[in-house]
Amino acid sequence: MTAVMVRSRGGTRSRLMAAFSYMGILVFLPLIMNKDDQYVYFHAKQGLVIWTWGVLGLFGLHLPGIGKWWFSFSAMMVFAYSLIGLASVILNRAWKLPFIYPISSRL
């Protein structure tokens, strides 16, 4: 993981909004409310990719054969990436999450 030089301007409010980015459906709060804060928007885009992966994992349950495996793998990865994202917010960093950042940078 590499860190990006994105600075927070809003202090505690920015960090709270960035933390919401990694808490499931709450990702839409920072996306809507903080487009002008680069730090929050960086985390919100990554959180949106993670949330989308989680939703697609749920749909994977309907696949015959590998559906349960895909759901378990997706749930584990979404949980791990969310924890890593929250850790980066707690440490006031902007880490580029592997496999997530390249997708989020296109949003």
Side-chain angles (χ1 to χ4, degrees):
M1 285 177 286
T2 58
V4 181
M5 293 304 293
V6 180
R7 296 286 179 207
S8 173
R9 290 184 296 156
T12 305
R13 184 179 188 281
S14 288
R15 290 177 75 182
L16 180 64
M17 282 295 174
F20 282 162
S21 299
Y22 298 105
M23 295 183 187
I25 194 95
L26 293 177
V27 70
F28 291 105
L29 283 174
L31 277 174
I32 294 168
M33 297 176 65
N34 288 83
K35 281 194 170 194
D36 57 329
D37 190 343
Q38 276 188 324
Y39 178 76
V40 174
Y41 200 59
F42 173 84
H43 287 290
K45 290 191 310 183
Q46 287 194 144
L48 182 63
V49 172
I50 294 169
W51 178 79
T52 304
W53 187 359
V55 170
L56 292 175
L58 283 173
F59 286 117
L61 281 173
H62 298 289
L63 296 173
I66 65 165
K68 289 181 182 178
W69 177 85
W70 173 252
F71 171 75
S72 298
F73 174 75
S74 294
M76 185 174 48
M77 294 306 291
V78 164
F79 182 72
Y81 276 125
S82 294
L83 283 180
I84 294 169
L86 282 171
S88 74
V89 170
I90 289 169
L91 297 173
N92 206 19
R93 303 275 193 256
W95 292 337
K96 294 179 182 178
L97 299 175
F99 306 110
I100 302 295
Y101 176 75
I103 298 168
S104 71
S105 66
R106 294 180 189 156
L107 297 177

